[in-house]
Amino acid sequence: MRISQPLALTTLAAVAALAVAGCASESDDAPADHADHAVRSEHEHPADGGPAPAGIAEATDPTYPVGTEVTLTADHMPGMDGATATISGAFDTTAYAVSYTPTDGGDPVTNHKWVVQEELEGVGDEELAPGDTAVMTADHMPGMQGAEATVDASTDETVYMVDIDSPDMTMKRHKWVVESEIQPK
């Protein structure tokens, strides 16, 4: 069956209009720009991760001081592995990979990297082991804050916040990457 050129063009125009309308219908709590929209729609991370949690200790002698440009090897989300980033914070703490069910009814999250010691309620300085649970105060993604996390793994490597500005994503103070997920630029 052969489709006429006017019908094909009309169909193509309708599909394009629907695609544009989908991007134009952002709500007040949706991201302001489309670079952020791409990150949030796939991984729900805000464009600005905000300040470090209260009580976290700045690293005294980090391998990558604040302001250092690095290459990320972390693959927490598409576009991160191989991206250039700038260190915006370096901290001495314990970082945990955790699994949890979001408080907003979202699908369970497994092996989320990373939540730091200072983002867990009531644990103080006690390092948790795999299988231990704690309630998160972290709000890296919707439904995270207040959710009970089960520890999958932990590390005492230096923990970093990074600013990422690549074709795939733009994020300020992304929380968190650990030292083994960073290489010199």
Side-chain angles (χ1 to χ4, degrees):
M1 173 184 195
R2 185 174 164 95
I3 298 175
S4 69
Q5 185 175 12
L7 178 59
L9 291 174
T10 302
T11 303
L12 181 61
V15 169
L18 287 172
V20 170
C23 285
S25 65
E26 296 175 0
S27 67
D28 288 342
D29 42 326
D33 66 45
H34 291 287
D36 185 35
H37 178 75
V39 170
R40 286 188 58 87
S41 66
E42 291 180 21
H43 296 281
E44 308 278 336
H45 284 274
D48 187 335
I56 195 167
E58 289 189 23
T60 54
D61 189 25
T63 302
Y64 304 105
V66 171
T68 304
E69 271 199 11
V70 296
T71 300
L72 300 178
T73 60
D75 62 353
H76 305 174
M77 63 184 77
M80 184 176 251
D81 190 7
T84 298
T86 303
I87 302 297
S88 54
F91 304 93
D92 288 329
T93 188
T94 301
Y96 298 96
V98 298
S99 294
Y100 66 97
T101 299
T103 59
D104 64 0
D107 291 333
V109 176
T110 58
N111 201 37
H112 173 82
K113 294 180 181 171
W114 300 97
V115 175
V116 296
Q117 185 83 18
E118 294 75 13
E119 295 174 318
L120 299 173
E121 282 184 10
V123 298
D125 293 334
E126 178 188 341
E127 190 167 321
L128 302 179
D132 287 347
T133 61
V135 174
M136 294 182 289
T137 60
D139 62 353
H140 308 170
M141 300 187 317
M144 181 178 253
Q145 189 172 30
E148 183 175 78
T150 300
V151 173
D152 296 321
S154 66
T155 182
D156 289 325
E157 299 172 66
T158 301
V159 179
Y160 295 91
M161 284 192 308
V162 294
D163 295 345
I164 307 166
D165 191 6
S166 74
D168 296 318
M169 68 179 75
T170 300
M171 300 175 78
K172 296 271 186 221
R173 299 185 286 191
H174 172 74
K175 297 182 182 97
W176 304 95
V177 292
V178 297
E179 191 151 313
S180 61
E181 298 174 321
I182 298 174
Q183 293 181 343
K185 182 158 170 38

